[in-house]
Every structure is written in C-alpha cells, then in structure tokens.
Amino acid sequence: MLRQFLEIIPFYLLITILKILPFEKRVYWGGQLCKFILPWVSKFYKRVDFNLRIVYPNMSYRKREEFIKENSKMIGKSFIELMFNKEFQKRSHKIKYKKKELNPLIEAKNSGRPIIVISGHIGSWEAVRAVLNDNGLTSGALYQRNRNMFYERLHLSAIKEGGEPILEVGTSGTRKMISLIRSGGVIALMIDQAVKEGNYFQFLGKPAKTSTSIAEMTLKYNALLIPAYGIRTDGDFIEVSFDKPIKPDTVYSMTKNMNISLERRVNAHPTQWYWPHRRWK
C-alpha cells in the first residue's frame, strides 16, 4: 500500500496544479508535459517503439522519435480530459458532429432495441459518450480495474461522469452488461486491446487477437452495432463521427468489419491512437 501511495503522489501533484488553470489550458499543458516526460519512461518508449517497428518497419529512427513525442502529447490530452471528465462532458462547443449520423441510434432507442457503440483508444474517446449524453443516449461502459488502489478511485469516478453503469471487466461485469443489453440499454465498448479469448484478425496489416464476443452478442440480442470515434482537429476541436451500422452477418465477418472501421481511423490519424497497448503478441 505504501508503494502505491508513493507512486500516486506525482500524479496528485499534477492534477492539483492543473486545477488552477482553465479547462482548455489544463488539456494543453497536460499534453505538453506528457510530450516531454513519457518518451523518457523506458517501459512506455520501448512498447510504443516495438509496435511502430511492427506496423511501420521502414520508419526511420528519427521519424519514430517525432512520432512518439506527438503520440505522448495526444495521450496526455486524453488523460487530462478523463481526469476532469465532469467538465469535459460540458464542453459541447468544442465537439462537432453531424446530427443525422445519430438517426440509427435514436430509432433503435425509440423501438427499445439495444445499442452497442464500438470505438477505440484514439483521439478523444470520451467525446463519443459526451455526444451520446447530449442526445439522450447515455451509455454504460466496461473498464479495467487499476492495480493502484488510490488511482483506481479517481479513475472509476472519472469514467462514471461520462455515463453509467460502469462495469468491471470480468464475469460479473459481463453478466451485468448482458442484462443491460437485454433491457434495451446502450453500452460503449473498446475493441483495440488484445484479449485471451477470441481469434486472430488483421489489424494494421498484422494479425491481432480480437474478441468475437461483441459480434456474438449483437446477433443474439438483435442489437444495433455502430462504430464511433472522436478525432482531434485544428483549433482543439473534436470531431465525433458515427459510421454506418455494421450489418448482421457471420461473427467472423462482423468482427473483421469492426477492425477495418478502426483501422481506417488509425491510418488517417496514426499519432492519435494509443500505441502503448500490447496489441500484437
């Protein structure tokens, strides 16, 4: 416990200092600090560099250095937005989206059909739930418990600001998620982390183990399955877009199309994706 407390002290100091700044300044300086600090964290640097070598084998050392700095800045911005999620959820003037793209979700909600919104750790992923909230589509989500008990409290509280219920990854959380889906609820799920179960699908040109459970639930409960992403643009604006719903088909085809949807966004905005993930093992 003492070790966990000591680990969290720099984090608490950062959050306390940033609180004195206006929200946009917090996000900006959070990004700048991470751009400076994260590349010096050996574990972080090695993991990102490893993934970049897999996907971009011809990228030069200098290009990877620049890439990691920019990626660190984007990670810092997203992290600060999450830590101050209550305020972020109210920054609607900074989030752009096309209302018509929400029509399939609104129709499904009105008919009592469950909705599964899929996304990835790219850009500002909490912006997707902010748009859902603004349109009466408050979503639950799955989360992975953090090993540091002090950070865990802050992390869970922050995620809850974007909508509830927040369900922990595991047997109990899965049961609750299925109950939510069966009742016609809305759940937002990330699809870009490696899982023990599942099968290998191509992602960014390399085989990556991907869960097929989302496609299986979609078919079993006749849910609407729709990809959505929050991408950062010039002027600190965030553009949230909803793809067309993924058509019911085979589990393999649907899971493949889920990966393709995210892959397109990562290819278009590579530095905005969360590259520290162990996506390829």
Side-chain angles (χ1 to χ4, degrees):
M1 184 180 294
L2 177 59
R3 181 180 177 181
Q4 290 186 2
F5 178 73
L6 293 175
E7 287 176 344
I8 204 67
I9 288 177
F11 168 77
Y12 273 126
L13 289 174
L14 173 63
I15 295 300
T16 300
I17 292 171
L18 289 177
K19 276 184 178 179
I20 67 176
L21 300 174
F23 182 81
E24 278 80 9
K25 292 293 184 181
R26 289 179 218 164
V27 174
Y28 172 80
W29 284 110
Q32 292 300 314
L33 286 170
C34 284
K35 181 179 181 179
F36 175 75
I37 295 171
L38 285 182
W40 290 96
V41 178
S42 178
K43 187 176 180 180
F44 171 87
Y45 182 93
K46 288 179 179 178
R47 195 177 294 174
V48 176
D49 190 63
F50 175 80
N51 286 337
L52 289 176
R53 287 173 181 268
I54 289 176
V55 178
Y56 306 117
N58 296 323
M59 182 181 285
S60 68
Y61 172 80
R62 183 174 180 180
K63 287 288 186 180
R64 292 199 308 275
E65 291 275 292
E66 295 172 355
F67 190 107
I68 291 172
K69 289 180 181 179
E70 185 65 21
N71 188 232
S72 298
K73 182 177 74 174
M74 291 296 172
I75 290 171
K77 286 184 174 183
S78 296
F79 176 72
I80 295 302
E81 287 170 348
L82 177 60
M83 287 298 100
F84 296 100
N85 205 7
K86 186 174 183 178
E87 291 176 72
F88 176 68
Q89 293 290 323
K90 300 175 182 177
R91 315 304 284 188
S92 58
H93 63 287
K94 287 288 186 177
I95 302 175
K96 300 179 179 180
Y97 64 97
K98 297 177 181 178
K99 185 81 173 181
K100 65 179 182 180
E101 292 183 352
L102 288 161
N103 287 342
L105 292 95
I106 294 171
E107 290 173 7
K109 184 68 174 177
N110 290 339
S111 66
R113 186 183 179 191
I115 300 169
I116 301 177
V117 179
I118 57 168
S119 189
H121 294 86
I122 183 170
S124 178
W125 51 87
E126 280 295 318
V128 172
R129 294 211 296 155
V131 171
L132 293 174
N133 284 339
D134 284 347
N135 288 274
L137 295 160
T138 300
S139 65
L142 282 180
Y143 92 108
Q144 182 75 51
R145 177 181 288 270
N146 192 274
R147 65 174 183 82
N148 188 301
M149 61 180 292
F150 298 102
Y151 175 73
E152 165 65 16
R153 297 170 188 168
L154 292 175
H155 181 68
L156 180 56
S157 176
I159 295 175
K160 285 182 176 179
E161 294 294 349
E164 296 191 59
I166 301 301
L167 311 172
E168 185 177 349
V169 171
T171 304
S172 176
T174 299
R175 285 199 300 265
K176 292 176 181 177
M177 177 177 65
I178 290 174
S179 178
L180 175 65
I181 292 172
R182 291 179 65 180
S183 67
V186 185
I187 187 81
L189 302 173
M190 299 294 196
I191 64 170
D192 55 357
Q193 290 177 289
V195 293
K196 292 181 181 179
E197 74 284 354
N199 299 307
Y200 283 96
F201 290 81
Q202 289 293 308
F203 182 66
L204 297 179
K206 305 294 178 180
K209 206 165 191 181
T210 306
S211 174
T212 58
S213 61
I214 296 176
E216 291 165 359
M217 287 189 297
T218 299
L219 292 173
K220 185 173 182 178
Y221 300 108
N222 187 33
L224 175 75
L225 180 61
I226 186 166
Y229 308 96
I231 302 299
R232 299 186 189 281
T233 63
D234 294 337
D236 286 330
F237 285 98
I238 299 166
E239 184 174 329
V240 172
S241 58
F242 294 83
D243 285 356
K244 292 181 179 179
I246 293 178
K247 295 180 180 180
D249 200 343
T250 65
V251 168
Y252 178 87
S253 176
M254 293 171 70
T255 305
K256 177 182 177 181
N257 288 333
M258 288 162 53
N259 265 3
I260 289 173
S261 173
L262 176 59
E263 187 178 61
R264 287 172 179 160
R265 290 304 193 288
V266 178
N267 281 330
H269 310 279
T271 60
Q272 294 196 33
W273 188 53
Y274 192 81
W275 284 87
H277 278 157
R278 291 191 179 97
R279 192 66 186 94
W280 299 274
K281 294 183 179 181

